[in-house]
Amino acid sequence: MSDQSVVPIDQILPHKLPLVALMGRPIFPGIFTPIMIGNPADVKVVEEAVAGNGLIGLVMLLNETETPGIGDLYSVGTAAKIVKKINLPDGGVNIFISTLKRFAVRKSLHDQNPIVAAVEYLEDEEDDTSEVKALTRALISEMKQISENNPLFSEEMRLNMINIDHPGKIADFIASILNIDKAEQQKILEILNVRKRMEQVLVFIKKEQELLRIQKRIQKEINEKIEKSQRDYFLKEELKAIKTELGMVTDAKSSDYQKFREKFDAFHFEGEVKEAVDQELEKFNIMEPNSPEYVVTRNYLDLIASLPWMESEPEHFDLSRAQEILEADHYGLKDVKERIVEYLAVRKLRNDTKGSIICLVGPPGVGKTSVGRSIARSLGKEFFRFSVGGMRDEAEIKGHRRTYIGALPGKIIQGLKIVKTRDPVFMIDEIDKMGASYQGDPASALLEVLDPEQNTSFRDHYLDLPFDISHIFFIVTANTLDTIPPPLIDRMEIIQLPGYIDTEKLEIAKRYLVPKSLEKNGLKKGQVKYTKDSLLHIANGYAREAGVRNFEKNLDKIHRKLAKQIIEKDEEAKKKTQAEAGQEDSAASAKAKLKFDLDKKAIEKHLGKPIFPEEDVKKADRPGMSVGLAWTSMGGDTLVIEATSVPGKEGFTLTGKMGDVMKESAAIAMTVARKLGTERYNIGLDWFEKNHIHLHIPEGATPKDGPSAGITMATALLSLMRGKIISSSLVMTGELSLTGQVLPIGGLKEKTIAARRNKARHIIIPKQNVRDLDDIPDYVKKGIEFHPVERFDEVLALALPN
């Protein structure tokens, strides 16, 4: 026995070995481990080995396959001795092996299972140097750190590692227990140089340590979160128990429930509202806070609790004070103010808080929105404004159903929630600019809102409960009534706001626009002074439209330029006085002392040449021309009609983007003019046969429609046929019938203002419109002579006298 024990291991190991393919990781020398063998061919190899010398070669698969050949294996493996074999019920075996030594496959003796190969045993290339000793210590030291922090390392592993006395075997043992890729383990198995093998293993140990460090940090963070959540949970439970003992509300849901219950009890709901609210409240009480429905129900109950369900207090407003507020806030608009004061007087006399619907119609910039604010101020009520211009979804008015994600109540209910009162003043702007789409028609949705018979039980889709909005004072604004549905117009009291003439603009500028613009641009009240002519020059030369919005824009433009001049001079003063004491005070005083007196020249210096020069007055200065009056959504306007004839085939051409009604008026005008021309003025039929007549209305790109230019077109055609120029300073408006009657028109006030802007002195109007002259202020009619006519003959006597 003693002789056998000293025989070298490579002499007792055969040079021909049956090979077993390993599917998992390679097995290093010096390891005692169990292996499960399931492949029938490998089981046969094991049984033959046990029957013989018990030695097998373990080689890792290069390419995983069910029937491996010699080409599917790595070339370096480990020789192993089968110590024990246990047969398994499924036909496989479990063997315990002791690995002995590395080998390299030199020659294949049998390519397929059972694979047999001639092998050469490999020796470690040892360097007995201090570097190898240092590496050995480093490996053991680093592995101790890993094993201390990793519970998977058993005490037996630690002892084995310490008791191994060979540097190469230490590297092999550590490589076998590290969690590294099998291909990397195979590379370590193939490294014969002990120092290089140890260095490579040390690299993997470092990687493992880094992974463990990251894992430990993550674990620590998770533990901290768990500990915090557990701590919070226990504290909340304790707090809940304390609150229960004190009879207090225990959680947020209970607090909300209690708050809602108290509010709803104070409202004294009845009938359908009470039943629906109680049902929602009880449903909320049994809901889990994490439920998706919880937030939806809470928001719904919060809306109900925020609405003004209680009856409003009786109104107390002073009619004279209301008049003072309207006068202070707006210049002119006498008819508008009178009608509003009359409405307020009736409201006070009846002691009725029921709302009303007023529709303010007028061109842009005449003060429709500010009139609404003044009404709210005069009544001492909350004011809420929203615009429906461009609105295409009826849900904006009546809300979305709660089944939709992100559902909201409509603008009416939202406004009531904001103002927190039952009888506010609501302004609905731009009602003429709504549009219908596949999402519904907002104008139709407003029918219920603005109907005093229906809005006592208005039902918003989101709220889905009847709410009385009849106490709301609705003020609606529009530029024109043409695009508003007739049923909606029928529900409103229409108040027309006409445009302003230059003298009115002058007063508005003095009282409101100049002080407002000075403050907006940082200028002091007395720093800028305008002459009367300079303000009139702005009104006539730069802002000739019906409203005063462009007037204000021009004032802002002037004041910005003045502000720039002040700052530039201020900075120059600072530079000059930089070395002096109290330079800030001197500069500030210089800034305050700078003043401007603006005349017409100064206005043109800041605003440039006038957009509407004084000579830009529309006149009929040639045969075939006449000047008419038109009404547009922007206010009144003057309309030049041009007619000419060219030799050629008989015909009649119309241009100027006319609408269908205006084209029909032009056809009537042509027939009447032709009849009068041939019968009264001796114009031969051959003239019509040899001339092509063209009637045009500038500006060509602007759409025009309506019948009120009938007499104007007929007059222009007769002026052309007779070769006579129409009387100067004369403008006209009126619908013409085929029998020569002059029919009434609308918008006479706006048309008169436009005529005044055009410096007209004579206006031909239909006789039936004489009653409308009373509605036009005297200062607008001053200097203008009105000529009421019934027949077209009277028009010709004034425009083209014999």
Side-chain angles (χ1 to χ4, degrees), residues 54-319:
L55 292 170
I56 57 173
L58 302 173
V59 186
M60 193 173 77
L61 273 170
L62 182 65
N63 303 307
E64 290 189 9
T65 175
E66 290 184 4
T67 56
I70 191 73
D72 296 316
L73 303 176
Y74 278 96
S75 59
V76 176
T78 307
K81 173 81 173 172
I82 300 173
V83 177
K84 189 175 182 180
K85 176 176 81 76
I86 300 171
N87 293 324
L88 299 175
D90 60 355
V93 292
N94 194 3
I95 59 173
F96 289 85
I97 59 164
S98 175
T99 53
L100 303 172
K101 197 166 187 177
R102 288 174 171 80
F103 68 79
V105 176
R106 291 303 176 206
K107 187 179 179 185
S108 172
L109 301 177
H110 192 275
D111 289 349
Q112 300 297 325
N113 267 341
I115 301 170
V116 180
V119 299
E120 177 188 349
Y121 295 97
L122 305 173
E123 299 292 340
D124 285 348
E125 298 173 4
E126 296 187 27
D127 295 329
D128 189 15
T129 62
S130 56
E131 191 175 345
V132 171
K133 289 177 183 177
L135 281 168
T136 304
R137 287 185 183 180
L139 286 174
I140 293 170
S141 173
E142 298 293 343
M143 280 306 292
K144 274 184 182 179
Q145 289 183 22
I146 292 175
S147 64
E148 286 170 4
N149 295 321
N150 194 335
L152 297 176
F153 284 89
S154 63
E155 190 62 33
E156 187 181 350
M157 284 183 182
R158 294 190 189 96
L159 290 171
N160 284 343
M161 185 173 61
I162 294 166
N163 291 332
I164 296 171
D165 56 354
H166 193 278
K169 288 183 179 179
I170 289 173
D172 288 343
F173 178 75
I174 292 171
S176 68
I177 62 177
L178 282 176
N179 185 24
I180 57 177
D181 187 67
K182 62 182 180 180
E184 299 291 347
Q185 283 186 328
Q186 178 66 31
K187 285 180 183 177
I188 292 171
L189 183 68
E190 293 174 4
I191 297 172
L192 300 180
N193 187 288
V194 173
R195 183 177 61 79
K196 288 182 179 178
R197 191 189 307 164
M198 294 174 84
E199 287 175 349
Q200 188 62 45
V201 170
L202 192 59
V203 170
F204 287 123
I205 289 173
K206 290 293 184 185
K207 286 182 180 178
E208 183 72 15
Q209 284 180 339
E210 182 62 22
L211 284 172
L212 284 171
R213 188 186 65 77
I214 294 168
Q215 182 183 348
K216 192 174 180 182
R217 178 174 58 79
I218 293 169
Q219 189 65 39
K220 184 183 176 185
E221 289 173 359
I222 292 169
N223 288 339
E224 285 175 355
K225 285 179 183 177
I226 292 170
E227 285 172 8
K228 185 180 184 303
S229 63
Q230 287 178 339
R231 179 174 171 275
D232 291 349
Y233 173 76
F234 286 123
L235 287 172
K236 283 176 183 175
E237 289 299 314
E238 285 179 15
L239 183 61
K240 197 182 290 185
I242 292 166
K243 285 184 174 181
T244 305
E245 285 294 321
L246 295 172
M248 297 168 64
V249 177
T250 56
D251 57 10
K253 189 181 88 168
S254 301
S255 173
D256 287 341
Y257 176 82
Q258 194 66 33
K259 180 183 74 175
F260 290 142
R261 172 53 69 195
E262 288 173 3
K263 280 198 172 185
F264 297 156
D265 288 345
F267 288 145
H268 303 296
F269 289 134
E270 293 178 356
E272 179 193 349
V273 178
K274 180 175 174 56
E275 186 181 334
V277 167
D278 287 346
Q279 187 179 344
E280 285 293 328
L281 195 57
E282 291 311 314
K283 187 169 76 174
F284 174 74
N285 193 33
I286 61 172
M287 270 185 186
E288 284 296 323
N290 296 327
S291 165
E293 285 290 315
Y294 177 83
V295 175
V296 175
T297 306
R298 191 193 178 285
N299 289 342
Y300 177 65
L301 292 171
D302 187 54
L303 173 69
I304 296 173
S306 303
L307 289 175
W309 296 91
M310 307 288 281
E311 288 291 335
S312 303
E313 294 181 5
E315 286 186 339
H316 299 289
F317 65 88
D318 189 344
L319 198 64

Side-chain angles (χ1 to χ4, degrees), residues 682-751:
N682 300 320
I683 297 169
L685 289 174
D686 58 335
W687 185 88
F688 294 101
E689 291 170 359
K690 294 176 183 177
N691 285 282
H692 184 97
I693 299 171
H694 187 157
L695 190 138
H696 175 68
I697 307 176
E699 294 91 11
T702 306
K704 307 162 195 77
D705 205 1
S708 65
I711 63 171
T712 317
M713 290 189 281
T715 307
L717 289 167
L718 279 166
S719 167
L720 171 71
M721 294 171 191
R722 295 179 62 192
K724 289 190 69 176
I725 297 172
I726 292 171
S727 300
S728 60
S729 302
L730 176 71
V731 295
M732 62 190 76
T733 179
E735 182 180 351
L736 180 64
S737 76
L738 201 57
T739 57
Q741 280 187 309
V742 180
L743 304 177
I745 46 84
L748 183 60
K749 187 174 182 179
E750 288 80 5
K751 290 178 179 179

Side-chain angles (χ1 to χ4, degrees), residues 379-405:
L379 284 169
K381 293 187 177 298
E382 294 292 332
F383 180 78
F384 180 76
R385 175 196 164 276
F386 65 94
S387 175
V388 293
M391 189 180 286
R392 292 178 174 271
D393 186 358
E394 58 100 15
E396 292 284 337
I397 303 296
K398 297 195 72 175
H400 306 84
R401 303 203 178 274
R402 277 187 292 146
T403 50
Y404 298 121
I405 294 170

Side-chain angles (χ1 to χ4, degrees), residues 441-719:
D441 183 4
S444 300
L446 277 174
L447 290 174
E448 181 186 357
V449 174
L450 300 180
D451 189 345
E453 299 301 320
Q454 297 181 46
N455 62 13
T456 52
S457 57
F458 172 69
R459 195 177 285 267
D460 183 272
H461 290 323
Y462 182 88
L463 183 65
D464 201 24
L465 294 172
F467 193 94
D468 186 0
I469 61 170
S470 64
H471 298 277
I472 299 174
F473 188 166
F474 286 103
I475 301 171
V476 177
T477 73
N479 295 130
T480 176
L481 296 174
D482 297 346
T483 54
I484 304 175
L488 200 55
I489 294 174
D490 188 50
R491 285 161 166 77
M492 303 182 292
E493 185 180 352
I494 309 298
I495 298 179
Q496 295 279 353
L497 278 78
Y500 298 113
I501 60 172
D502 51 6
T503 52
E504 288 178 308
K505 288 183 181 179
L506 176 66
E507 290 300 321
I508 292 168
K510 282 180 184 177
R511 298 185 190 190
Y512 307 104
L513 302 183
V514 172
K516 180 183 171 185
S517 181
L518 286 172
E519 185 182 352
K520 192 192 334 184
N521 293 284
L523 298 167
K524 302 292 180 186
K525 233 178 186 182
Q527 274 187 284
V528 184
K529 285 187 179 179
Y530 290 90
T531 63
K532 181 180 176 181
D533 288 344
S534 64
L535 290 174
L536 282 172
H537 188 47
I538 295 173
N540 292 320
Y542 302 90
R544 204 178 275 183
E545 78 288 345
V548 291
R549 198 165 282 146
N550 275 337
F551 200 119
E552 187 176 357
K553 286 179 183 176
N554 282 293
L555 288 173
D556 286 341
K557 187 175 179 181
I558 293 168
H559 295 155
R560 284 196 300 271
K561 292 181 182 296
L562 297 181
K564 181 188 170 190
Q565 288 181 29
I566 290 170
I567 294 301
E568 285 174 349
K569 289 187 179 180
D570 179 42
E571 287 176 354
E572 284 176 20
K574 280 183 182 179
K575 286 176 184 175
K576 288 178 182 178
T577 58
Q578 200 167 10
E580 300 174 11
Q583 56 175 338
E584 293 296 330
D585 294 338
S586 63
S589 62
K591 195 193 298 186
K593 285 176 183 175
L594 205 57
K595 294 186 179 180
F596 302 91
D597 291 319
L598 301 180
D599 54 12
K600 284 178 71 172
K601 282 187 178 178
I603 296 297
E604 290 193 11
K605 179 186 171 186
H606 294 302
L607 297 180
K609 292 293 180 186
I611 300 169
F612 309 101
E614 287 185 17
E615 61 271 12
D616 187 25
V617 172
K618 294 173 183 175
K619 290 180 182 178
D621 52 4
R622 293 182 185 181
M625 291 182 70
S626 64
V627 181
L629 297 173
W631 182 92
T632 69
S633 61
M634 306 293 283
D637 199 5
T638 46
L639 204 66
V640 175
I641 308 287
E642 298 175 344
T644 189
S645 62
V646 288
K649 189 178 178 182
E650 180 180 352
F652 184 44
T653 300
L654 297 173
T655 55
K657 209 168 185 181
M658 300 183 195
D660 291 338
V661 176
M662 187 171 255
K663 286 177 182 176
E664 289 175 359
S665 292
I668 292 169
M670 182 62 192
T671 302
V672 171
R674 181 167 179 161
K675 186 174 186 298
L676 287 173
T678 54
E679 292 179 0
R680 183 178 300 180
Y681 301 116
N682 300 320
I683 297 169
L685 289 174
D686 58 335
W687 185 88
F688 294 101
E689 291 170 359
K690 294 176 183 177
N691 285 282
H692 184 97
I693 299 171
H694 187 157
L695 190 138
H696 175 68
I697 307 176
E699 294 91 11
T702 306
K704 307 162 195 77
D705 205 1
S708 65
I711 63 171
T712 317
M713 290 189 281
T715 307
L717 289 167
L718 279 166
S719 167

